Amino acid sequence: MLIGIIGAPNKGKSTLFSALTNIDAKAANYPFTTIDPNKGTAFVAKPCAEKIIGKKCKPRNSMCDEGMRLIPINVEDVAGLVPGAHEGKGMGNQFLSDLSGADAFIIVVDASGGTDIYGNPGSGTPAEDVEMIIDELTDWIAGIITKHMPKISKTDSGIDALANVLTGFNIQKRDIESSAEKLSLPTHRISWNEEETKSFAKDAVLGSKKFIIAANKSDSEGAKNNEPKILEASKALGISAVMCSAAIELALKKANSSGMIEYKPWERSIKIIGKPNAEQLAALNYMKDFVEKRGTGVSELMDRLVFNDMKQIVVYPVEDENRFSDSFGNVLPDAILMPSGSTAYDLAAKIHTDIAKGMLYAIDAVSKMRLGKGYVLKDGDIIKIVSAAK
Ligand SMILES: Nc1nc2c(ncn2[C@@H]2O[C@H](COP(=O)(O)OP(=O)(O)OP(=O)(O)O)[C@@H](O)[C@H]2O)c(=O)[nH]1
Ligand SMILES: [Mg+2]
């Protein structure tokens, strides 16, 4: 799974990226600090199934921190987008291609309204930022469709030709069909005009990708006042918004790494364990108060996006259902994110195509019940796939 961090310049994308990944990405108070994309791994946290089986786990594809399973997710931070980026303005559209395969986007906006749409100091509204970002993504994809339209219009099944053009964007044929149907656009002998192509692109982008608004700089002056407006705009767009402070989350993660504090992002508390000087202590106490009263919003942002909006569940495949382990005895080695509604067969397919091909049935490792291929997985399931393939 890949999550793209996008937004206008100077809104805190790289700060959020660093806070999520513990990788130091350059952040500065001017537009276009980021030119080359930053790639890294963030984590979402869920109580580990080790509690259910009463056995300490030994993770392989993830981590476990005192009973919380941390599941990795790829994130990518790119250059700021400005109006006209799809046709090369600002840092241009090159990096948009990097994000074409993303499953979801975090749109970072400045909740304080202290930066304009170009990232310069001034006044801006988060809602106009969000609209600009969606328009740029839409126009970029619409441009690509338009470029291929002469070829698409010559084929009988236009939808298949269109699906071909859009495969790299992770936009599936069924998304294309449902958007075309919704907009009453013809699906055979496609020859859409510019306006039709644009409205199609917008619907397909919104329908096939998930978006969440990170209303960042929630610690800044003015952010609190803007909160109702931001939530109203997010409701109108049908996109969730979470107030957050990437800067405070990053400072806390750094203080945690240096041994000054103990901070678990999924808990809204911090413990001072080092020996801060007076200045550090004042800063830590400010952040402690912030976290306890409001939280930085950063782990809530990830949780909301992945578990709520993308409707992902966590399943634990095992090879030995009695020991809840892989063949080496590692207990609950893998925690896998799957879209809710996935079946035992989907899990087999995710492990290996051969395992899926030879799949006979599955076993619920906790109840030892035999499950059919079509069994719909539940969050936290521990599953053994029984397959003729080894
Ligand atoms: N107060 C406050 N400032 C923040 C926060 N997050 C980022 N900033 C500041 O905002 C400025 C821009 O941060 P960056 O992370 O470089 O923003 P960006 O969106 O990556 O910017 P570009 O790469 O130029 O597009 C820096 O001065 C950060 O310190 C936050 O949560 N609160
Ligand atoms: Mg940046």
Side-chain angles (χ1 to χ4, degrees):
M1 185 188 293
L2 173 67
I3 296 178
I5 302 176
I6 52 172
N10 209 5
K11 307 290 172 172
K13 298 180 295 297
S14 299
T15 307
L16 178 64
F17 172 85
S18 299
L20 287 171
T21 60
N22 284 326
I23 295 171
D24 259 329
K26 191 172 174 209
N29 191 17
Y30 49 80
F32 301 124
T33 305
T34 306
I35 296 171
D36 296 323
N38 296 301
K39 296 177 192 189
T41 310
F43 295 91
V44 281
K46 263 262 162 117
C48 180
E50 65 175 12
K51 283 186 188 146
I52 298 166
I53 58 169
K55 264 178 115 176
K56 187 85 203 85
C57 68
K58 194 149 184 245
R60 233 176 39 173
N61 81 336
S62 41
M63 296 192 287
C64 194
D65 185 350
E66 292 178 15
M68 277 307 241
R69 186 57 80 107
L70 307 180
I71 304 156
I73 288 185
N74 295 323
V75 291
E76 190 165 333
D77 160 45
V78 295
L81 277 171
V82 291
H86 71 279
E87 46 190 23
K89 299 251 167 65
M91 285 290 132
N93 56 19
Q94 173 51 40
F95 60 88
L96 281 171
S97 328
D98 264 348
L99 284 179
S100 53
D103 303 283
F105 293 100
I106 297 173
I107 304 180
V108 182
V109 302
D110 180 349
S112 74
T115 43
D116 68 15
I117 208 158
Y118 294 94
N120 296 313
S123 63
T125 71
E128 82 185 352
D129 273 22
V130 174
E131 272 170 36
M132 183 270 286
I133 297 299
I134 291 177
D135 284 349
E136 286 306 318
L137 280 174
T138 302
D139 288 348
W140 173 58
I141 291 180
I144 290 166
I145 299 174
T146 302
K147 202 173 93 194
H148 288 88
M149 195 50 89
K151 204 177 65 198
I152 295 170
S153 62
K154 284 199 193 91
T155 59
D156 250 357
S157 166
I159 288 282
D160 286 329
L162 191 53
N164 252 339
V165 170
L166 296 178
T167 43
F169 300 94
N170 226 346
I171 298 177
Q172 315 295 331
K173 192 175 164 187
R174 58 169 191 279
D175 299 319
I176 298 173
E177 280 166 341
S178 87
S179 292
E181 200 173 307
K182 198 155 120 204
L183 299 165
S184 308
L185 291 169
T187 52
H188 287 276
R189 294 259 159 212
I190 290 178
S191 177
W192 302 335
N193 63 30
E194 201 181 315
E195 203 182 309
E196 288 169 329
T197 304
K198 258 191 187 181
S199 54
F200 165 81
K202 186 161 188 170
D203 197 77
V205 168
L206 289 173
S208 60
K209 311 272 183 192
K210 281 287 168 209
F211 292 89
I212 193 165
I213 300 166
N216 193 35
K217 311 196 186 181
S218 67
D219 57 286
S220 295
E221 195 147 343
K224 197 91 202 117
N225 282 343
N226 284 336
E227 190 173 344
K229 264 192 289 182
I230 295 169
L231 297 181
E232 204 178 295
S234 95
K235 220 170 154 186
L237 286 159
I239 299 174
S240 313
V242 177
M243 298 292 286
C244 59
S245 171
I248 293 185
E249 178 76 6
L250 179 59
L252 290 172
K253 289 260 178 81
K254 285 192 167 163
N256 183 68
S257 302
S258 71
M260 191 63 90
I261 62 169
E262 221 173 71
Y263 172 60
K264 298 196 188 302
W266 51 93
E267 286 170 6
R268 276 178 57 165
S269 65
I270 66 173
K271 216 189 304 165
I272 300 171
I273 53 170
K275 293 202 170 18
N277 61 32
E279 199 183 326
Q280 288 169 325
L281 186 63
L284 288 174
N285 276 330
Y286 162 75
M287 295 195 283
K288 187 172 185 330
D289 189 55
F290 190 89
V291 167
E292 285 168 2
K293 284 205 181 109
R294 295 198 253 160
T296 69
V298 172
S299 62
E300 190 192 336
L301 175 80
M302 289 299 285
D303 278 0
R304 179 94 72 93
L305 174 62
V306 174
F307 297 126
N308 222 60
D309 300 349
M310 298 177 80
K311 298 192 172 52
Q312 299 286 307
I313 58 168
V314 180
V315 284
Y316 300 83
V318 292
E319 283 173 67
D320 182 335
E321 71 275 23
N322 295 311
R323 293 197 294 165
F324 304 103
S325 70
D326 60 15
S327 54
F328 305 104
N330 298 310
V331 173
L332 303 178
D334 299 330
I336 295 186
L337 289 170
M338 305 275 300
S340 133
S342 299
T343 61
Y345 179 82
D346 296 329
L347 176 63
K350 188 134 190 175
I351 299 168
H352 201 284
T353 36
D354 288 342
I355 302 268
K357 257 193 220 150
M359 179 174 178
L360 303 169
Y361 56 94
I363 299 171
D364 177 330
V366 175
S367 68
K368 308 287 184 268
M369 291 249 293
R370 194 190 255 242
L371 310 166
K373 290 183 189 174
Y375 166 77
V376 177
L377 298 163
K378 292 193 310 295
D379 190 39
D381 269 351
I382 305 170
I383 301 283
K384 148 108 181 159
I385 303 286
V386 180
S387 172
K390 258 282 145 210

